[in-house]
Amino acid sequence: MRDTVHGITTGAVARRLGVSPTTVRSWDRRYGIGPAVRGDGRHRRWSPADVAMLEEMCRLTASGVPPAEAARAAREVRAAMERDGAVAPVAPEPETPAVRHEAEPVTARGPAEPVTARGPAGGGGLPLGDVRQECRGLARAAVRLDTPAMEAVLRAALAEYGLVTAWEEIMAPTLHAVGRKWESSGDRYVEVEHLLSWHISTALRRAAVTGPAPVSPAPPVLLACVPSEQHTLPLEALAAGLAERSLPTRMFGAAVPFEALDAAVRRSGPAAVVLWSQSRSTANHALARHVAGTAFGVRGARTAALVLLAGPGWLGRTLDPGMVRPGGLREALGVVSRLYGERPEEAEAAERGGD
């Protein structure tokens, strides 16, 4: 009853929503969505209607709605609940030492005024630029460490736009923004990058598993990061795209040793080998040349795999015979699809779900 009568603290409501107390206070200062009633000393106490308002704020911003617009809609939720009598009035709770940390700092400027949200760069403080609304929503959810919201955005993006667009215009830009923020903020946001990467990986693997099974025992596509390379998400996106096209893959993941990759190529006889390198320091052209020159098959009909040098680490490298350097996920899917005799229009239909 205590929570119902007096309301709950900012820390308690933040835990309930899965966001930080700083985020809740910031929403109050910037967008004017604080509690309807405050305790003595201007301590925040959040009623059920206030909490419902914040839940709506979380839902809308996670879907990419600009914060100022989301705040206006969220306030309407509280007003409707109070108008309809869905909640009882909240009595202010006397200040106690246990909640002194909730107090607003006293400044000479007086009460803070609501601040209008920034334009397209708004994304939880991440440097996003001009991106899709869903990208901003994913970024805000990631900064809040809001797992359900990230999951919802990723599922909706894959369902509405398909894998390639979801990766190129929503997932990858958000990952890059988090990475840039991490590099420029003294190792802050590491937890944001790890959680976001995990959920994107989960979404990509789910897409790969739910794709149709390969229709024939064709030679597979091998996907591997070069030795010392740990970034696997772009390869996971490619694996999911190939699964959508019913093409067989073998994913070996991060930092595959030279000997292991050589053995995998000789044992599986792949149609293509994709080697991912994120930076020039990991790109190993001698390894790529070795894979491109590895022949397999029966005597008199030996062949070699096409090698795709994928990732920014290969930029500026010389292309030997048997190598290509795709410019992105869409181009890599096109190159591999043609190896299996799939026409470009068929690949596009697969991306759209067979429409």
Side-chain angles (χ1 to χ4, degrees):
M1 287 295 296
R2 182 179 178 84
D3 285 355
T4 302
V5 174
H6 296 292
I8 62 177
T9 66
T10 298
V13 76
R15 288 190 295 273
R16 181 178 298 185
L17 298 173
V19 302
S20 71
T22 301
T23 296
V24 176
R25 297 187 190 103
S26 174
W27 285 347
D28 183 3
R29 290 193 298 270
R30 291 173 63 86
Y31 308 116
I33 57 169
V37 177
R38 293 178 186 266
D40 292 344
R42 296 190 60 78
H43 287 68
R44 295 176 177 86
R45 287 296 180 272
W46 304 86
S47 71
D50 296 329
V51 173
M53 172 185 65
L54 292 178
E55 288 174 340
E56 181 69 1
M57 181 74 174
C58 285
R59 186 187 70 81
L60 291 172
T61 56
S63 67
V65 176
E69 181 180 336
R72 287 192 292 270
R75 287 193 296 268
E76 293 176 1
V77 169
R78 180 175 63 188
M81 291 182 67
E82 293 173 343
R83 183 173 59 251
D84 297 340
V87 293
V90 178
E93 183 179 4
E95 179 180 356
T96 64
V99 294
R100 286 189 183 275
H101 64 282
E102 298 282 357
E104 283 285 347
V106 178
T107 69
R109 293 180 298 173
E113 295 293 331
V115 179
T116 303
R118 295 183 180 182
L126 299 181
L128 286 169
D130 186 13
V131 294
R132 282 186 181 271
Q133 177 173 289
E134 292 86 356
C135 185
R136 294 195 293 274
L138 182 60
R140 295 188 190 110
V143 170
R144 293 201 306 264
L145 305 183
D146 188 340
T147 290
M150 281 190 282
E151 177 76 7
V153 171
L154 290 169
R155 282 183 178 272
L158 286 167
E160 181 171 356
Y161 300 115
L163 174 76
V164 174
T165 299
W167 168 257
E168 292 183 340
E169 301 186 21
I170 298 171
M171 299 179 193
T174 309
L175 285 166
H176 293 159
V178 172
R180 291 194 297 271
K181 190 71 172 180
W182 174 21
E183 292 173 354
S184 64
S185 60
D187 284 343
R188 293 176 57 216
Y189 289 85
V190 175
E191 73 286 358
V192 175
E193 183 178 49
H194 281 218
L195 190 65
L196 176 63
S197 297
W198 171 261
H199 282 283
I200 289 178
S201 176
T202 300
L204 292 172
R205 295 189 190 195
R206 185 188 302 121
V209 170
T210 57
V215 296
S216 66
V221 180
L222 270 54
L223 301 101
C225 290
V226 297
S228 302
E229 180 58 70
Q230 298 292 334
H231 293 80
T232 63
L233 287 177
L235 280 185
E236 293 176 39
L238 179 55
L242 294 172
E244 280 188 342
R245 290 155 173 76
S246 302
L247 300 179
T249 62
R250 303 290 185 271
M251 165 64 87
F252 292 94
V256 181
F258 183 101
E259 297 79 3
L261 182 60
D262 179 67
V265 170
R266 295 181 186 278
R267 290 172 61 187
S268 62
V273 177
V274 183
L275 299 176
W276 178 267
S277 172
Q278 182 74 18
S279 65
R280 291 181 63 85
S281 62
T282 63
N284 187 327
H285 199 76
L287 170 63
R289 188 181 298 113
H290 175 81
V291 173
T294 299
F296 43 80
V298 299
R299 186 183 300 274
R302 296 175 69 79
T303 186
L306 177 67
V307 175
L308 281 72
L309 303 181
W314 300 107
L315 293 176
R317 300 278 181 162
T318 302
L319 290 179
D320 289 0
M323 300 180 188
V324 295
R325 187 168 55 236
L329 175 59
R330 191 181 304 273
E331 185 177 341
L333 287 170
V335 169
V336 174
S337 296
R338 286 190 290 272
L339 292 177
Y340 291 88
E342 187 175 279
R343 296 190 301 274
E345 58 269 23
E346 292 173 335
E348 291 295 327
E351 182 185 339
R352 298 192 301 270
D355 294 342

